[in-house]
mmCIF file of all heavy atoms in Angstrom:
data_model
loop_
_atom_site.group_PDB
_atom_site.id
_atom_site.type_symbol
_atom_site.label_atom_id
_atom_site.label_comp_id
_atom_site.label_asym_id
_atom_site.label_seq_id
_atom_site.Cartn_x
_atom_site.Cartn_y
_atom_site.Cartn_z
ATOM 1 N N SER A 1 -1.430 -27.228 5.446
ATOM 2 C CA SER A 1 -2.766 -27.698 5.085
ATOM 3 C C SER A 1 -3.509 -26.674 4.232
ATOM 4 O O SER A 1 -3.250 -25.478 4.295
ATOM 5 C CB SER A 1 -3.574 -28.015 6.348
ATOM 6 O OG SER A 1 -3.749 -26.867 7.125
ATOM 7 N N TYR A 2 -4.445 -27.159 3.449
ATOM 8 C CA TYR A 2 -5.265 -26.314 2.586
ATOM 9 C C TYR A 2 -6.637 -26.952 2.450
ATOM 10 O O TYR A 2 -6.831 -28.118 2.768
ATOM 11 C CB TYR A 2 -4.605 -26.158 1.209
ATOM 12 C CG TYR A 2 -4.346 -27.491 0.530
ATOM 13 C CD1 TYR A 2 -5.305 -28.060 -0.306
ATOM 14 C CD2 TYR A 2 -3.162 -28.183 0.749
ATOM 15 C CE1 TYR A 2 -5.088 -29.289 -0.900
ATOM 16 C CE2 TYR A 2 -2.940 -29.416 0.151
ATOM 17 C CZ TYR A 2 -3.898 -29.964 -0.667
ATOM 18 O OH TYR A 2 -3.696 -31.190 -1.246
ATOM 19 N N GLY A 3 -7.605 -26.163 1.981
ATOM 20 C CA GLY A 3 -8.972 -26.648 1.863
ATOM 21 C C GLY A 3 -9.331 -27.070 0.458
ATOM 22 O O GLY A 3 -8.461 -27.253 -0.399
ATOM 23 N N VAL A 4 -10.636 -27.196 0.181
ATOM 24 C CA VAL A 4 -11.093 -27.683 -1.131
ATOM 25 C C VAL A 4 -10.782 -26.710 -2.257
ATOM 26 O O VAL A 4 -10.694 -27.106 -3.420
ATOM 27 C CB VAL A 4 -12.615 -27.972 -1.116
ATOM 28 C CG1 VAL A 4 -12.941 -29.131 -0.198
ATOM 29 C CG2 VAL A 4 -13.414 -26.737 -0.734
ATOM 30 N N ASP A 5 -10.600 -25.426 -1.902
ATOM 31 C CA ASP A 5 -10.303 -24.434 -2.951
ATOM 32 C C ASP A 5 -8.844 -24.465 -3.388
ATOM 33 O O ASP A 5 -8.459 -23.791 -4.348
ATOM 34 C CB ASP A 5 -10.688 -23.025 -2.492
ATOM 35 C CG ASP A 5 -9.998 -22.610 -1.191
ATOM 36 O OD1 ASP A 5 -9.146 -23.374 -0.689
ATOM 37 O OD2 ASP A 5 -10.326 -21.520 -0.675
ATOM 38 N N GLY A 6 -8.003 -25.240 -2.697
ATOM 39 C CA GLY A 6 -6.596 -25.374 -3.072
ATOM 40 C C GLY A 6 -5.713 -24.210 -2.671
ATOM 41 O O GLY A 6 -4.512 -24.218 -2.932
ATOM 42 N N VAL A 7 -6.300 -23.205 -2.030
ATOM 43 C CA VAL A 7 -5.527 -22.019 -1.630
ATOM 44 C C VAL A 7 -4.654 -22.357 -0.427
ATOM 45 O O VAL A 7 -5.145 -22.807 0.609
ATOM 46 C CB VAL A 7 -6.470 -20.835 -1.283
ATOM 47 C CG1 VAL A 7 -5.669 -19.645 -0.762
ATOM 48 C CG2 VAL A 7 -7.281 -20.435 -2.508
ATOM 49 N N THR A 8 -3.343 -22.150 -0.575
ATOM 50 C CA THR A 8 -2.397 -22.433 0.505
ATOM 51 C C THR A 8 -2.177 -21.175 1.353
ATOM 52 O O THR A 8 -2.626 -20.079 0.992
ATOM 53 C CB THR A 8 -1.046 -22.883 -0.059
ATOM 54 O OG1 THR A 8 -0.467 -21.794 -0.797
ATOM 55 C CG2 THR A 8 -1.204 -24.096 -0.966
ATOM 56 N N ILE A 9 -1.464 -21.352 2.456
ATOM 57 C CA ILE A 9 -1.110 -20.217 3.307
ATOM 58 C C ILE A 9 -0.329 -19.177 2.501
ATOM 59 O O ILE A 9 -0.578 -17.976 2.610
ATOM 60 C CB ILE A 9 -0.274 -20.688 4.523
ATOM 61 C CG1 ILE A 9 -1.154 -21.449 5.524
ATOM 62 C CG2 ILE A 9 0.414 -19.513 5.210
ATOM 63 C CD1 ILE A 9 -2.117 -20.601 6.313
ATOM 64 N N LYS A 10 0.607 -19.647 1.675
ATOM 65 C CA LYS A 10 1.414 -18.728 0.859
ATOM 66 C C LYS A 10 0.542 -17.970 -0.133
ATOM 67 O O LYS A 10 0.688 -16.756 -0.312
ATOM 68 C CB LYS A 10 2.503 -19.500 0.120
ATOM 69 C CG LYS A 10 3.468 -18.592 -0.647
ATOM 70 C CD LYS A 10 4.511 -19.384 -1.399
ATOM 71 C CE LYS A 10 5.462 -18.453 -2.140
ATOM 72 N NZ LYS A 10 4.779 -17.515 -3.063
ATOM 73 N N ASP A 11 -0.378 -18.694 -0.792
ATOM 74 C CA ASP A 11 -1.295 -18.044 -1.741
ATOM 75 C C ASP A 11 -2.095 -16.950 -1.035
ATOM 76 O O ASP A 11 -2.248 -15.843 -1.569
ATOM 77 C CB ASP A 11 -2.284 -19.063 -2.330
ATOM 78 C CG ASP A 11 -1.602 -20.130 -3.161
ATOM 79 O OD1 ASP A 11 -0.518 -19.857 -3.696
ATOM 80 O OD2 ASP A 11 -2.153 -21.247 -3.251
ATOM 81 N N PHE A 12 -2.603 -17.282 0.128
ATOM 82 C CA PHE A 12 -3.437 -16.333 0.870
ATOM 83 C C PHE A 12 -2.629 -15.112 1.280
ATOM 84 O O PHE A 12 -3.093 -13.978 1.169
ATOM 85 C CB PHE A 12 -4.034 -17.015 2.107
ATOM 86 C CG PHE A 12 -5.226 -16.320 2.678
ATOM 87 C CD1 PHE A 12 -6.512 -16.684 2.307
ATOM 88 C CD2 PHE A 12 -5.077 -15.266 3.574
ATOM 89 C CE1 PHE A 12 -7.621 -16.026 2.819
ATOM 90 C CE2 PHE A 12 -6.171 -14.605 4.095
ATOM 91 C CZ PHE A 12 -7.455 -14.978 3.721
ATOM 92 N N GLU A 13 -1.404 -15.363 1.717
ATOM 93 C CA GLU A 13 -0.560 -14.262 2.205
ATOM 94 C C GLU A 13 -0.156 -13.313 1.079
ATOM 95 O O GLU A 13 0.063 -12.120 1.313
ATOM 96 C CB GLU A 13 0.678 -14.830 2.892
ATOM 97 C CG GLU A 13 1.453 -13.817 3.712
ATOM 98 C CD GLU A 13 2.398 -14.464 4.686
ATOM 99 O OE1 GLU A 13 2.848 -15.609 4.433
ATOM 100 O OE2 GLU A 13 2.688 -13.843 5.722
ATOM 101 N N ASP A 14 -0.058 -13.836 -0.140
ATOM 102 C CA ASP A 14 0.347 -13.002 -1.284
ATOM 103 C C ASP A 14 -0.642 -11.871 -1.549
ATOM 104 O O ASP A 14 -0.282 -10.833 -2.114
ATOM 105 C CB ASP A 14 0.492 -13.873 -2.546
ATOM 106 C CG ASP A 14 1.754 -14.735 -2.498
ATOM 107 O OD1 ASP A 14 2.654 -14.419 -1.681
ATOM 108 O OD2 ASP A 14 1.830 -15.709 -3.261
ATOM 109 N N SER A 15 -1.907 -12.079 -1.187
ATOM 110 C CA SER A 15 -2.914 -11.013 -1.347
ATOM 111 C C SER A 15 -3.713 -10.888 -0.045
ATOM 112 O O SER A 15 -4.939 -10.855 -0.066
ATOM 113 C CB SER A 15 -3.832 -11.321 -2.525
ATOM 114 O OG SER A 15 -4.390 -12.614 -2.412
ATOM 115 N N LEU A 16 -3.001 -10.846 1.060
ATOM 116 C CA LEU A 16 -3.602 -10.907 2.390
ATOM 117 C C LEU A 16 -4.643 -9.819 2.631
ATOM 118 O O LEU A 16 -5.783 -10.107 3.012
ATOM 119 C CB LEU A 16 -2.503 -10.829 3.457
ATOM 120 C CG LEU A 16 -2.977 -10.826 4.915
ATOM 121 C CD1 LEU A 16 -3.692 -12.129 5.243
ATOM 122 C CD2 LEU A 16 -1.792 -10.621 5.862
ATOM 123 N N ASN A 17 -4.262 -8.565 2.444
ATOM 124 C CA ASN A 17 -5.169 -7.457 2.774
ATOM 125 C C ASN A 17 -6.457 -7.506 1.961
ATOM 126 O O ASN A 17 -7.554 -7.282 2.496
ATOM 127 C CB ASN A 17 -4.460 -6.114 2.563
ATOM 128 C CG ASN A 17 -3.379 -5.881 3.607
ATOM 129 O OD1 ASN A 17 -3.473 -6.371 4.729
ATOM 130 N ND2 ASN A 17 -2.339 -5.143 3.236
ATOM 131 N N GLU A 18 -6.316 -7.796 0.666
ATOM 132 C CA GLU A 18 -7.502 -7.860 -0.193
ATOM 133 C C GLU A 18 -8.429 -8.998 0.245
ATOM 134 O O GLU A 18 -9.657 -8.826 0.286
ATOM 135 C CB GLU A 18 -7.089 -8.075 -1.658
ATOM 136 C CG GLU A 18 -6.370 -6.896 -2.296
ATOM 137 C CD GLU A 18 -4.884 -6.857 -1.959
ATOM 138 O OE1 GLU A 18 -4.411 -7.735 -1.181
ATOM 139 O OE2 GLU A 18 -4.197 -5.946 -2.454
ATOM 140 N N ARG A 19 -7.844 -10.133 0.586
ATOM 141 C CA ARG A 19 -8.649 -11.289 0.993
ATOM 142 C C ARG A 19 -9.364 -11.026 2.318
ATOM 143 O O ARG A 19 -10.535 -11.376 2.491
ATOM 144 C CB ARG A 19 -7.767 -12.531 1.102
ATOM 145 C CG ARG A 19 -7.296 -13.081 -0.243
ATOM 146 C CD ARG A 19 -6.409 -14.305 -0.040
ATOM 147 N NE ARG A 19 -5.837 -14.811 -1.273
ATOM 148 C CZ ARG A 19 -6.400 -15.713 -2.069
ATOM 149 N NH1 ARG A 19 -7.588 -16.201 -1.758
ATOM 150 N NH2 ARG A 19 -5.800 -16.129 -3.167
ATOM 151 N N LEU A 20 -8.654 -10.427 3.273
ATOM 152 C CA LEU A 20 -9.271 -10.133 4.569
ATOM 153 C C LEU A 20 -10.391 -9.109 4.431
ATOM 154 O O LEU A 20 -11.434 -9.220 5.090
ATOM 155 C CB LEU A 20 -8.214 -9.630 5.558
ATOM 156 C CG LEU A 20 -7.180 -10.655 6.042
ATOM 157 C CD1 LEU A 20 -6.217 -10.010 7.039
ATOM 158 C CD2 LEU A 20 -7.848 -11.870 6.675
ATOM 159 N N LYS A 21 -10.188 -8.119 3.566
ATOM 160 C CA LYS A 21 -11.240 -7.109 3.336
ATOM 161 C C LYS A 21 -12.475 -7.743 2.703
ATOM 162 O O LYS A 21 -13.611 -7.366 3.014
ATOM 163 C CB LYS A 21 -10.696 -5.980 2.459
ATOM 164 C CG LYS A 21 -9.734 -5.052 3.187
ATOM 165 C CD LYS A 21 -9.154 -4.001 2.251
ATOM 166 C CE LYS A 21 -8.148 -3.114 2.983
ATOM 167 N NZ LYS A 21 -7.491 -2.138 2.066
ATOM 168 N N MET A 22 -12.253 -8.703 1.810
ATOM 169 C CA MET A 22 -13.379 -9.392 1.171
ATOM 170 C C MET A 22 -14.160 -10.214 2.201
ATOM 171 O O MET A 22 -15.398 -10.226 2.207
ATOM 172 C CB MET A 22 -12.865 -10.297 0.048
ATOM 173 C CG MET A 22 -13.954 -11.063 -0.696
ATOM 174 S SD MET A 22 -15.151 -9.974 -1.519
ATOM 175 C CE MET A 22 -14.118 -9.309 -2.840
ATOM 176 N N ILE A 23 -13.428 -10.903 3.097
ATOM 177 C CA ILE A 23 -14.087 -11.671 4.160
ATOM 178 C C ILE A 23 -14.923 -10.734 5.035
ATOM 179 O O ILE A 23 -16.075 -11.021 5.356
ATOM 180 C CB ILE A 23 -13.041 -12.412 5.020
ATOM 181 C CG1 ILE A 23 -12.358 -13.508 4.203
ATOM 182 C CG2 ILE A 23 -13.705 -13.021 6.268
ATOM 183 C CD1 ILE A 23 -11.185 -14.163 4.911
ATOM 184 N N LYS A 24 -14.332 -9.609 5.407
ATOM 185 C CA LYS A 24 -15.038 -8.635 6.251
ATOM 186 C C LYS A 24 -16.316 -8.154 5.572
ATOM 187 O O LYS A 24 -17.384 -8.091 6.205
ATOM 188 C CB LYS A 24 -14.128 -7.441 6.543
ATOM 189 C CG LYS A 24 -14.827 -6.336 7.320
ATOM 190 C CD LYS A 24 -13.945 -5.112 7.508
ATOM 191 C CE LYS A 24 -14.732 -4.007 8.216
ATOM 192 N NZ LYS A 24 -13.910 -2.804 8.472
ATOM 193 N N MET A 25 -16.210 -7.825 4.296
ATOM 194 C CA MET A 25 -17.355 -7.303 3.554
ATOM 195 C C MET A 25 -18.495 -8.328 3.514
ATOM 196 O O MET A 25 -19.661 -7.996 3.751
ATOM 197 C CB MET A 25 -16.927 -6.943 2.130
ATOM 198 C CG MET A 25 -18.014 -6.289 1.298
ATOM 199 S SD MET A 25 -17.435 -5.875 -0.364
ATOM 200 C CE MET A 25 -17.330 -7.517 -1.094
ATOM 201 N N LYS A 26 -18.155 -9.583 3.247
ATOM 202 C CA LYS A 26 -19.185 -10.628 3.170
ATOM 203 C C LYS A 26 -19.816 -10.900 4.535
ATOM 204 O O LYS A 26 -21.024 -11.113 4.637
ATOM 205 C CB LYS A 26 -18.574 -11.910 2.602
ATOM 206 C CG LYS A 26 -18.275 -11.833 1.110
ATOM 207 C CD LYS A 26 -17.770 -13.177 0.584
ATOM 208 C CE LYS A 26 -17.558 -13.123 -0.922
ATOM 209 N NZ LYS A 26 -17.089 -14.424 -1.456
ATOM 210 N N LEU A 27 -19.000 -10.893 5.590
ATOM 211 C CA LEU A 27 -19.531 -11.103 6.933
ATOM 212 C C LEU A 27 -20.490 -9.979 7.320
ATOM 213 O O LEU A 27 -21.571 -10.227 7.855
ATOM 214 C CB LEU A 27 -18.387 -11.193 7.949
ATOM 215 C CG LEU A 27 -17.562 -12.479 7.964
ATOM 216 C CD1 LEU A 27 -16.321 -12.313 8.833
ATOM 217 C CD2 LEU A 27 -18.397 -13.659 8.462
ATOM 218 N N LYS A 28 -20.094 -8.753 7.038
ATOM 219 C CA LYS A 28 -20.925 -7.595 7.387
ATOM 220 C C LYS A 28 -22.232 -7.587 6.601
ATOM 221 O O LYS A 28 -23.280 -7.184 7.110
ATOM 222 C CB LYS A 28 -20.156 -6.295 7.118
ATOM 223 C CG LYS A 28 -18.925 -6.099 7.999
ATOM 224 C CD LYS A 28 -19.265 -5.613 9.382
ATOM 225 C CE LYS A 28 -19.614 -4.146 9.395
ATOM 226 N NZ LYS A 28 -19.869 -3.672 10.786
ATOM 227 N N ALA A 29 -22.151 -8.064 5.345
ATOM 228 C CA ALA A 29 -23.342 -8.078 4.485
ATOM 229 C C ALA A 29 -24.253 -9.268 4.785
ATOM 230 O O ALA A 29 -25.378 -9.335 4.278
ATOM 231 C CB ALA A 29 -22.915 -8.095 3.021
ATOM 232 N N GLY A 30 -23.754 -10.205 5.588
ATOM 233 C CA GLY A 30 -24.554 -11.378 5.934
ATOM 234 C C GLY A 30 -24.601 -12.439 4.862
ATOM 235 O O GLY A 30 -25.478 -13.307 4.868
ATOM 236 N N ASN A 31 -23.656 -12.385 3.902
ATOM 237 C CA ASN A 31 -23.659 -13.393 2.829
ATOM 238 C C ASN A 31 -22.353 -14.187 2.766
ATOM 239 O O ASN A 31 -21.950 -14.638 1.692
ATOM 240 C CB ASN A 31 -23.971 -12.752 1.468
ATOM 241 C CG ASN A 31 -22.967 -11.678 1.076
ATOM 242 O OD1 ASN A 31 -21.934 -11.509 1.721
ATOM 243 N ND2 ASN A 31 -23.266 -10.952 0.004
ATOM 244 N N TYR A 32 -21.693 -14.329 3.916
ATOM 245 C CA TYR A 32 -20.517 -15.201 3.949
ATOM 246 C C TYR A 32 -20.985 -16.644 4.119
ATOM 247 O O TYR A 32 -21.803 -16.953 4.993
ATOM 248 C CB TYR A 32 -19.581 -14.846 5.120
ATOM 249 C CG TYR A 32 -18.290 -15.646 5.092
ATOM 250 C CD1 TYR A 32 -17.164 -15.153 4.461
ATOM 251 C CD2 TYR A 32 -18.220 -16.918 5.661
ATOM 252 C CE1 TYR A 32 -15.991 -15.892 4.391
ATOM 253 C CE2 TYR A 32 -17.052 -17.674 5.598
ATOM 254 C CZ TYR A 32 -15.952 -17.150 4.963
ATOM 255 O OH TYR A 32 -14.789 -17.892 4.888
ATOM 256 N N HIS A 33 -20.455 -17.536 3.277
ATOM 257 C CA HIS A 33 -20.799 -18.954 3.370
ATOM 258 C C HIS A 33 -19.525 -19.794 3.359
ATOM 259 O O HIS A 33 -18.565 -19.472 2.654
ATOM 260 C CB HIS A 33 -21.726 -19.377 2.226
ATOM 261 C CG HIS A 33 -23.046 -18.670 2.260
ATOM 262 N ND1 HIS A 33 -24.019 -18.955 3.199
ATOM 263 C CD2 HIS A 33 -23.550 -17.670 1.481
ATOM 264 C CE1 HIS A 33 -25.063 -18.166 3.003
ATOM 265 N NE2 HIS A 33 -24.806 -17.384 1.975
ATOM 266 N N PHE A 34 -19.532 -20.862 4.128
ATOM 267 C CA PHE A 34 -18.355 -21.716 4.260
ATOM 268 C C PHE A 34 -18.241 -22.692 3.099
ATOM 269 O O PHE A 34 -19.245 -23.210 2.605
ATOM 270 C CB PHE A 34 -18.409 -22.494 5.582
ATOM 271 C CG PHE A 34 -18.274 -21.625 6.793
ATOM 272 C CD1 PHE A 34 -19.403 -21.102 7.422
ATOM 273 C CD2 PHE A 34 -17.025 -21.299 7.299
ATOM 274 C CE1 PHE A 34 -19.289 -20.287 8.543
ATOM 275 C CE2 PHE A 34 -16.903 -20.477 8.416
ATOM 276 C CZ PHE A 34 -18.035 -19.974 9.039
ATOM 277 N N ASN A 35 -16.995 -22.931 2.663
ATOM 278 C CA ASN A 35 -16.732 -23.964 1.668
ATOM 279 C C ASN A 35 -16.998 -25.340 2.275
ATOM 280 O O ASN A 35 -16.985 -25.499 3.498
ATOM 281 C CB ASN A 35 -15.262 -23.911 1.218
ATOM 282 C CG ASN A 35 -14.947 -22.663 0.425
ATOM 283 O OD1 ASN A 35 -15.479 -22.453 -0.655
ATOM 284 N ND2 ASN A 35 -14.063 -21.833 0.959
ATOM 285 N N LYS A 36 -17.194 -26.317 1.411
ATOM 286 C CA LYS A 36 -17.247 -27.696 1.892
ATOM 287 C C LYS A 36 -15.869 -28.075 2.448
ATOM 288 O O LYS A 36 -14.878 -27.382 2.215
ATOM 289 C CB LYS A 36 -17.641 -28.649 0.755
ATOM 290 C CG LYS A 36 -19.088 -28.491 0.292
ATOM 291 C CD LYS A 36 -20.052 -28.916 1.394
ATOM 292 C CE LYS A 36 -21.495 -28.844 0.932
ATOM 293 N NZ LYS A 36 -22.434 -29.225 2.009
ATOM 294 N N LEU A 37 -15.810 -29.175 3.169
ATOM 295 C CA LEU A 37 -14.574 -29.591 3.824
ATOM 296 C C LEU A 37 -13.800 -30.589 2.966
ATOM 297 O O LEU A 37 -14.395 -31.394 2.249
ATOM 298 C CB LEU A 37 -14.896 -30.231 5.173
ATOM 299 C CG LEU A 37 -15.724 -29.367 6.137
ATOM 300 C CD1 LEU A 37 -16.249 -30.212 7.287
ATOM 301 C CD2 LEU A 37 -14.898 -28.209 6.661
ATOM 302 N N ARG A 38 -12.469 -30.499 3.050
ATOM 303 C CA ARG A 38 -11.616 -31.475 2.351
ATOM 304 C C ARG A 38 -11.301 -32.617 3.308
ATOM 305 O O ARG A 38 -10.821 -32.398 4.415
ATOM 306 C CB ARG A 38 -10.316 -30.828 1.865
ATOM 307 C CG ARG A 38 -9.386 -31.784 1.107
ATOM 308 C CD ARG A 38 -8.193 -31.052 0.534
ATOM 309 N NE ARG A 38 -7.267 -30.630 1.556
ATOM 310 C CZ ARG A 38 -6.275 -31.383 2.053
ATOM 311 N NH1 ARG A 38 -6.123 -32.639 1.648
ATOM 312 N NH2 ARG A 38 -5.462 -30.891 2.976
ATOM 313 N N LEU A 39 -11.547 -33.840 2.858
ATOM 314 C CA LEU A 39 -11.300 -35.010 3.707
ATOM 315 C C LEU A 39 -9.850 -35.460 3.580
ATOM 316 O O LEU A 39 -9.327 -35.627 2.479
ATOM 317 C CB LEU A 39 -12.232 -36.154 3.308
ATOM 318 C CG LEU A 39 -12.122 -37.450 4.133
ATOM 319 C CD1 LEU A 39 -12.588 -37.213 5.565
ATOM 320 C CD2 LEU A 39 -12.937 -38.563 3.488
ATOM 321 N N HIS A 40 -9.201 -35.656 4.724
ATOM 322 C CA HIS A 40 -7.843 -36.194 4.759
ATOM 323 C C HIS A 40 -7.869 -37.450 5.616
ATOM 324 O O HIS A 40 -8.197 -37.395 6.800
ATOM 325 C CB HIS A 40 -6.873 -35.163 5.348
ATOM 326 C CG HIS A 40 -5.458 -35.640 5.438
ATOM 327 N ND1 HIS A 40 -4.787 -36.174 4.362
ATOM 328 C CD2 HIS A 40 -4.578 -35.674 6.474
ATOM 329 C CE1 HIS A 40 -3.560 -36.509 4.724
ATOM 330 N NE2 HIS A 40 -3.413 -36.224 6.008
ATOM 331 N N LEU A 41 -7.555 -38.588 5.005
ATOM 332 C CA LEU A 41 -7.594 -39.873 5.704
ATOM 333 C C LEU A 41 -6.193 -40.234 6.193
ATOM 334 O O LEU A 41 -5.262 -40.363 5.399
ATOM 335 C CB LEU A 41 -8.132 -40.967 4.775
ATOM 336 C CG LEU A 41 -9.588 -40.789 4.320
ATOM 337 C CD1 LEU A 41 -9.944 -41.813 3.250
ATOM 338 C CD2 LEU A 41 -10.548 -40.916 5.498
#
């Protein structure tokens, strides 16, 4: 499964450390925001 940004598990894993550090930075700064949801019928 993947979300509206089209990023797959494999895509995420290819740059895992950088992506996790970015999430951490945004959470700590208080400016992390969730993407909209992808609908699957």
